[in-house]
Each structure stands twice: as structure tokens, then as C-alpha cells.
Amino acid sequence: MSEEPAVEAVPDEVAVRLDAPTRAVLADPGWRKLHPVTPVLRAWKVVAAVVAVVVGQNVDDILRLELPGWVLTLSVLGGLLALALVGAVYSALAWRRMRYRIDAEAVHVERGILWRQQRRAQLDRLQAVDVVRPLLGRLFGLAELRLEVAGGSGSRVSLAYLKEEEAQRVRNALLAASAGVVVAEGEDAPEAPEREVVQVPATRLIVSTLRSGLTIWVVLAVVGIGVGCWFAKSFAPLFGSAAAVLGGVSAVWQRFNTGFNFTVGDSPDGLRMTHGLLEQRAQTVPPGRVQALRITQPLLWRGKGWWKVEVNVAGYSGESGKGAEQSTTLLPVGTVDELGHVLAIVLPDLGTSEASPLDVVRAGLTGSGTDGGFTPVPRQARWLDWISWRRRGYLVTDHAFLSRNGRVVRGLDVVPHARTQSLGLTQGPWQRRLGLASVRLHSTPGKVSPRVDHLDEHVAALLLREQTARARAARAGSGPERWMTGR
């Protein structure tokens, strides 16, 4: 791996006092309101959701109505206007009832029309801070601030919408308070410096998207539907498969939309990622919040030497669908050198004394058998995995556990010992007959599910005991939640 660059220092205007109590760094610590335009931005979502449900369930009945075109048009427009008014009134009432403030230990949010709700997000449990700028919000200069807090599904705190300048100021305050940085009384925390590490070119993103299995599936489906329509002499096959095809096209577009202008940066605040075409997102993941990491390479990317990196972060564990894809992708498509730069930020020390971290990762990405010091699965595993049994194996370093797998789609999972939640050993009936077993490391729920399948049962049992001891020792010596104060 290339020499790790030194971390840039925090500006002089940020005074870090280890003996001072941590407190919020907003100049005004009182209750704050969201932007007054928020009801307008929320109302259209209500209208869109209702229209999608009503039209989707009653499209046949609507088409069978024998009404003049102008009557049907006025009815639809009147219904949309009524829905917009109802949505605007409800959103306005919700806006009047919502406020937030930040104190020394937590973010407090109050909301609710009929039932009052109070949320409290501990700053020392803060996993990530995202500034999201949707297309419509950017027209008004507004942004949504999303606070990802450890706690599983429903733990996210959303402040939508704020002026972009205020969202940035609050983000800086939250990250400073979470890190334990204290600034002068009555001043706002400045933004920490950032060093850009990787930027994904648009041409590479387009080519990688076209080379993905999802795109190929969509193309083959469209061709198949066209052939079916030609033989059937009707459009019945098209209508029957339209939903599936549109879903595939939407997924391909979403992959491009979220990966557009993807940049990865390093700062004292932690890992920073910015990306998005229509909806722009700026993510900040504080140091030590990455729970597990997966590096994959589809078959059609092999000639280009491209890789994708995904991570598990505790605050993102409750997301699904588009949100999960956006939040857990650390690098949508990158070269080996770019992969090394990213790993230097996320996992600066794998605990490999005899070889460089990048050499170990290379062996995990492309090697097989005992390459790179990996422990392979025994030969009898070929009866359960004919294609990739030679690729399967694991490596334990001083600081992390690496699991290698996949022949068609190469994969490497990396879990720091300190981030291992629990471990499990499983043995199916065929494994029991062959004397094999699988070991699984339980990380925070997410895209990465590290495991080693088809190990010798005695090796698996020993690995389970040893890895349990390593995880316990690593957790006892892990760094502080507020990484700049030693607390």
C-alpha cells in the first residue's frame, strides 16, 4: 500500500481542552425551528403517495368511466388540488409542532400533532451525519440533516428542512461535540479540513454500470419481451412484464444516480463521502464507526481491475432499498490503488507485520489456497462447493479477521476484532457427514455478513474459541467513543 499520508491538523481556532467538560458548540443552544418552506416540500410527498396508491389500485375502473375528457381532466386536477391542500395543512401543523436543540450530551427533537413525541439522540452514540440535498430542496436552498445513531431500525433522527448554511453549521457542531472538541463560548464550530482521496470519473461509473449483471438482465428481459410480443402478435407479454422491467430499469438508474460524482475524503471528523446527481448527499462517518467491510469484483469487471467496497455502519442498519445502497457504499467502482487509499482511512492498520496491508488484501481478492497466508478449506469441501472451494479461506491478523470467497464474483470480507458482535458455528447434515462446519461472525446488520463455510469441524471449533477471545480482548482495549478527548 502507498505510504499513508499524515492526517491534517485541526485549525487553530478549534481549541481542544482535555480537562474541560464537553458541551454543544452551537452559538445559540436554545430550541430551533425548521425552515418555514418545509410544509411545501413535504406536501408533494403526501400527494404523490396517495396518487400512486389510488391510481395503482383503481386504474381499470378509471379507464372504464365513460366521461368526457374535460370532465375527467377537471376531476383529476381538482382531486390533486384537494390532496395538495390537505397535505399542506397537515405538514404546516406538523412543522409548528416540531423543534430541536443540542445540549452537551444529546440532540433533542420534539414533534407530534395528536401525540407529542420526544427523541433524544446521544452524541457518543452518533454513527454518521448526512447532509442530503434533494432536487426540489435545492431550488429553495434547503437541505435535510440525517443523524444516524446506533440502535437499529428507527434510530435515525431527521431534521428536514434547514437552510444549507444552517445544516452545515449544525453538522459541524454535532461532529465537534461528538468528538469532544470544545470551542470558545458563543462561537460556532468551524468545519474541519478535508483531503480528497478518491474521485470516481463519470465515464468509469457508466461503463461499470453497463457491465453489471443487473444491466445485462434488464437488456435480456427487454429483448425477450420484444420477441414474445412478435410471436404473440400482441402487446400482452409487455403489459404482463412491465412492472418487473421498470423495476430493473429503475435499479440501474439508481445505481448511476447515487454513484455520480462520488468522492471520498479524509478529515479529523472521519470519513467523508459526497455523491449524487438528482439527490446529493454528503456523508460523514466518524473514526471507528465502520463495523465491517466487503470488497467485491463481478466477473465483467475483472478485465478492468475494478472493485466495489461496501461497509456496515451501526446507524445505517435499519435502512433498506435505495437508502441502504446509498449509505453502505464506500466506493462504487475503483482501482486497486484507489482501494488502497480508502483502506488506509477505514482500516489504517490490519495488524500484518510480515507483509504490507495491500499485499494481504490482494491475496484475499485474487488468491486461492494458502496464498497470502490464508487458511483454506479442506478438499472434501468440493462436494458442497464445486466452483469456488479453492477460493474459500480465512486469515487472522493482529487487528482483523479476513474471509475470502467467490469464484465468479470475487469477495473479501474484513471485520476488525473490536467490532465483532458475536460468533456462531453451524453444521448442516451434509457438512456433518463430511466432517465440515461453518463459522459466522455477527456484525452490525447490513450488507456485510462475514462467514467461512466448509471448514474442517475441528478447525472451525478452534477458530470459534480463539476468535471469541480476540474479540473480547480487542473490545477491552478499543479506543474511546469521543476520540479527541480520550473518554
Side-chain angles (χ1 to χ4, degrees):
M1 182 179 294
S2 58
E3 183 180 355
E4 181 181 348
V7 178
E8 299 184 32
V10 180
D12 295 337
E13 59 265 25
V14 181
V16 181
R17 301 202 307 272
L18 301 184
D19 58 341
T22 58
R23 57 181 171 80
V25 289
L26 282 177
D28 178 13
W31 288 100
R32 293 168 172 243
K33 298 287 292 182
L34 301 179
H35 196 275
V37 181
T38 297
V40 178
L41 298 181
R42 289 187 179 275
W44 79 267
K45 294 183 178 181
V46 176
V47 175
V50 173
V51 169
V53 173
V54 173
V55 174
Q57 295 180 351
N58 302 279
V59 60
D60 293 335
D61 296 335
I62 294 175
L63 294 177
R64 281 197 293 265
L65 292 176
E66 297 181 359
L67 295 175
W70 66 272
V71 174
L72 185 59
T73 301
L74 290 180
S75 300
V76 171
L77 293 178
L80 291 177
L81 180 59
L83 285 175
L85 290 176
V86 172
V89 171
Y90 177 83
S91 300
L93 293 176
W95 172 79
R96 289 179 59 86
R97 291 289 188 177
M98 184 172 180
R99 59 179 185 169
Y100 74 96
R101 69 180 177 89
I102 305 175
D103 62 19
E105 300 295 333
V107 179
H108 302 264
V109 179
E110 291 186 356
R111 62 175 51 171
I113 300 177
L114 300 179
W115 292 274
R116 298 288 288 170
Q117 300 178 3
Q118 294 185 351
R119 298 282 307 272
R120 186 174 188 269
Q122 288 289 124
L123 295 182
D124 59 1
R125 302 283 290 172
L126 191 66
Q127 300 295 311
V129 181
D130 298 353
V131 178
V132 182
R133 300 177 177 88
L135 180 62
L136 188 58
R138 296 209 306 271
L139 298 178
F140 295 91
L142 303 181
E144 176 186 1
L145 194 67
R146 297 179 184 174
L147 316 179
E148 309 291 349
V149 185
S153 179
S155 61
R156 173 195 289 174
V157 175
S158 174
L159 302 177
Y161 292 90
L162 306 172
K163 289 289 291 183
E164 290 188 3
E165 297 80 4
E166 183 179 1
Q168 190 71 26
R169 186 166 57 251
V170 174
R171 189 203 73 155
N172 297 339
L174 289 171
L175 291 172
S178 179
V181 175
V182 181
V183 298
E185 186 72 29
E187 295 184 2
D188 288 329
E191 183 176 2
E194 178 180 350
R195 176 180 60 88
E196 185 176 296
V197 176
V198 174
Q199 183 174 18
V200 179
T203 52
R204 184 197 302 169
L205 179 65
I206 294 173
V207 174
S208 66
T209 302
L210 295 177
R211 284 174 172 248
S212 67
L214 179 61
T215 303
I216 294 175
W217 179 90
V218 171
V219 172
L220 292 177
V222 171
V223 172
I225 292 172
V227 172
C229 292
W230 185 79
F231 278 106
K233 306 299 183 181
S234 70
F235 292 101
L238 175 62
F239 295 142
S241 307
V245 173
L246 288 177
V249 172
S250 176
V252 172
W253 162 252
Q254 192 60 42
R255 182 172 297 182
F256 172 78
N257 183 37
T258 58
F260 185 80
N261 197 30
F262 201 104
T263 61
V264 180
D266 186 20
S267 78
D269 286 340
L271 182 71
R272 290 188 179 179
M273 296 171 287
T274 58
H275 54 91
L277 178 60
L278 299 183
E279 180 181 272
Q280 298 176 353
R281 176 183 289 205
Q283 299 175 248
T284 304
V285 181
R289 269 28 179 197
V290 174
Q291 309 291 314
L293 178 144
R294 168 171 291 172
I295 308 170
T296 56
Q297 183 186 60
L299 180 63
L300 296 180
W301 288 11
R302 197 168 299 178
K304 295 288 187 178
W306 292 337
W307 301 88
K308 180 178 181 179
V309 183
E310 297 173 295
V311 295
N312 285 357
V313 177
Y316 295 133
S317 60
E319 295 194 9
S320 60
K322 180 184 74 172
E325 180 71 19
Q326 289 181 330
S327 304
T328 61
T329 300
L330 181 58
L331 185 62
V333 52
T335 63
V336 173
D337 291 338
E338 293 171 344
L339 177 62
H341 296 323
V342 171
L343 291 179
I345 303 174
V346 182
L347 300 172
D349 185 7
L350 283 178
T352 55
S353 56
E354 298 181 358
S356 68
L358 187 54
D359 290 338
V360 173
V361 170
R362 285 178 185 269
L365 296 176
T366 61
S368 61
T370 59
D371 293 346
F374 277 74
T375 301
V377 300
R379 287 185 60 84
Q380 58 264 37
R382 69 185 186 278
W383 299 109
L384 301 178
D385 187 0
W386 294 354
I387 298 177
S388 60
W389 70 274
R390 291 183 181 274
R391 278 271 303 156
R392 293 192 181 277
Y394 72 91
L395 174 66
V396 179
T397 69
D398 292 342
H399 299 154
F401 180 91
L402 293 83
S403 173
R404 183 179 64 194
N405 57 77
R407 177 72 67 180
V408 178
V409 178
R410 293 171 174 170
L412 177 68
D413 296 340
V414 184
V415 186
H417 297 321
R419 301 303 171 187
T420 302
Q421 304 291 326
S422 62
L423 296 101
L425 187 147
T426 59
Q427 188 179 48
W430 290 108
Q431 287 182 318
R432 191 177 305 115
R433 187 177 182 86
L434 295 171
L436 304 176
S438 299
V439 175
R440 181 170 182 176
L441 281 72
H442 300 131
S443 173
T444 298
K447 292 278 189 175
V448 188
S449 300
R451 60 184 300 156
V452 186
D453 289 325
H454 314 320
L455 287 171
D456 181 273
E457 57 186 358
H458 301 293
V459 174
L462 179 61
L463 175 62
L464 183 69
R465 292 195 298 269
E466 292 180 346
Q467 193 61 25
T468 301
R470 293 188 191 98
R472 185 183 302 113
R475 281 187 171 276
S478 61
E481 291 294 336
R482 290 183 170 173
W483 58 94
M484 291 188 182
T485 64
R487 290 177 53 186

